[in-house]
Amino acid sequence: MDRTWNNKAWFLVLPVLVLVAFSAIIPLMTVVNYSVQDTFGNNQFFWAGLDWFDDTLHSERFWAALWRNLLFSGIILAIEIPLGIFIALNMPKRGWGVPVCLVLMALPLLIPWNVVGTIWQVFGRVDIGLLGRTLASLGIDYNYVQDPFDAWATIVVMDVWHWTSLVVLLCYAGLVSIPDAYYQAARIDGASRWSVFRFIQLPKMQRVLLIAVLLRFMDSFMIYTEPFVVTGGGPGNETTFLSIDLVKMAIGQFDVGPAAAMSLIYFLIVLLVSYVFYTVMTNVGKGADQ
């Protein structure tokens, strides 16, 4: 049977395609163009080929920043995913407490990134910050400006405070979609709370957990505003992630070619790791369904 194609439908998506071209494709092509050229100012460019990519991949500065990114994302996922699941499991499913908890969980997500960084920058200061002065009064030597461990701890706690709510809301949405019949059958069988979580709740949350892991990895791996506002990449280069290093190279040093090459490698790493996460978690989900 022959299908009738209505080509007029393309006119409906044409505005979206034009918008995507201007907001994504054209800037991407511009970055690709810069990554294979060199400039000495006055808008004069010279062909450099793949030299900037080779320099980036053999740069200790790049690998050090990449390691800090991977470490930060690993810590964030290890904390926020289990914590988000735990909070979602203990949130009320009925009654007046549901809207109250949902609003409280959504509040941190409404705060802009630069405001979050400013809040924690002031909050952690040892002279006027509530956290800094409290720790100092307890005899704890805390200074996120001078101590690398304190800087990392501040950024991690800040991100956990800001983004765990996203994991909570996603997991909660997966939990409330589970029919009551599953829980009734579990009670009849005398299943423990761990068994209910292992065989009912966790499998039903796998899709939302996949979304949560992907979103939190991509956002934490590309984090820029919060650590830049709080520490500026310091002390030294201890919190200089790839995003901060990239901005320093492109704007501070005006090394347009190396910065463009690094940004493309950065982009490909995000795509690759996200694809690995997606493949692994979807295969685990198929195994659980079987």
Side-chain angles (χ1 to χ4, degrees):
M1 180 178 179
D2 295 334
R3 291 185 178 182
T4 302
W5 294 95
N6 185 5
N7 293 324
K8 294 181 180 179
W10 284 102
F11 290 99
L12 299 176
V13 298
L14 185 60
V16 177
L17 296 177
V18 174
L19 180 62
V20 170
F22 275 100
S23 63
I25 298 178
I26 293 178
L28 179 60
M29 292 299 100
T30 303
V31 173
V32 172
N33 180 52
Y34 285 153
S35 68
V36 294
Q37 297 190 69
D38 192 9
T39 179
F40 297 102
N42 297 325
N43 204 28
Q44 296 180 359
F45 292 89
F46 306 91
W47 179 257
L50 300 178
D51 291 347
W52 298 131
F53 292 93
D54 184 68
D55 291 345
T56 300
L57 294 175
H58 289 86
S59 171
E60 294 183 1
R61 174 179 175 179
F62 169 79
W63 290 107
L66 176 60
W67 161 247
R68 286 189 287 267
N69 263 107
L70 292 173
L71 178 61
F72 179 76
S73 296
I75 294 174
I76 290 303
L77 291 177
I79 295 176
E80 293 183 6
I81 299 301
L83 181 60
I85 294 174
F86 176 78
I87 296 175
L89 289 173
N90 290 277
M91 285 176 61
K93 306 299 186 296
R94 299 181 182 84
W96 61 269
V98 174
V100 173
C101 291
L102 292 178
V103 170
L104 292 177
M105 286 293 105
L107 283 178
L109 302 177
L110 301 177
I111 305 176
W113 296 311
N114 57 335
V115 177
V116 172
T118 304
I119 291 173
W120 280 85
Q121 182 190 43
V122 177
F123 186 56
R125 288 182 56 173
V126 294
D127 52 352
I128 61 174
L130 178 61
L131 176 62
R133 290 185 64 87
T134 302
L135 294 178
S137 64
L138 296 175
I140 300 175
D141 186 14
Y142 167 81
N143 192 328
Y144 69 84
V145 178
Q146 299 179 358
D147 187 86
F149 178 81
D150 294 342
W152 268 83
T154 303
I155 294 175
V156 168
V157 173
M158 174 182 62
D159 195 271
V160 170
W161 172 82
H162 191 197
W163 289 109
T164 300
S165 298
L166 176 64
V167 183
V168 173
L169 294 176
L170 288 172
C171 293
Y172 187 79
L175 289 173
V176 296
S177 66
I178 302 176
D180 290 335
Y182 286 76
Y183 296 108
Q184 295 175 1
R187 284 193 293 268
I188 293 174
D189 293 338
S192 63
R193 186 170 182 178
W194 168 252
S195 298
V196 171
F197 171 74
R198 172 66 181 84
F199 297 104
I200 297 178
Q201 294 173 326
L202 187 59
K204 294 299 181 180
M205 286 193 298
Q206 281 182 347
R207 293 186 181 276
V208 293
L209 280 178
L210 172 62
I211 298 174
V213 170
L214 289 177
L215 289 178
R216 288 309 306 128
F217 166 75
M218 289 188 291
D219 190 68
S220 63
F221 196 77
M222 297 185 295
I223 190 171
Y224 169 76
T225 306
E226 298 97 318
F228 181 77
V229 173
V230 176
T231 65
N237 291 321
E238 292 296 331
T239 57
T240 300
F241 302 112
L242 278 173
S243 56
I244 298 177
D245 199 24
L246 185 60
V247 172
K248 288 181 179 179
M249 183 180 297
I251 300 178
Q253 304 172 10
F254 199 68
D255 290 333
V256 181
M262 180 186 290
S263 66
L264 291 176
I265 296 174
Y266 193 4
F267 174 67
L268 292 176
I269 292 174
V270 174
L271 288 182
L272 176 62
V273 180
S274 299
Y275 175 76
V276 171
F277 272 128
Y278 176 80
T279 303
V280 170
M281 296 190 70
T282 50
N283 287 338
V284 170
K286 292 179 181 178
D289 295 337
Q290 293 175 356

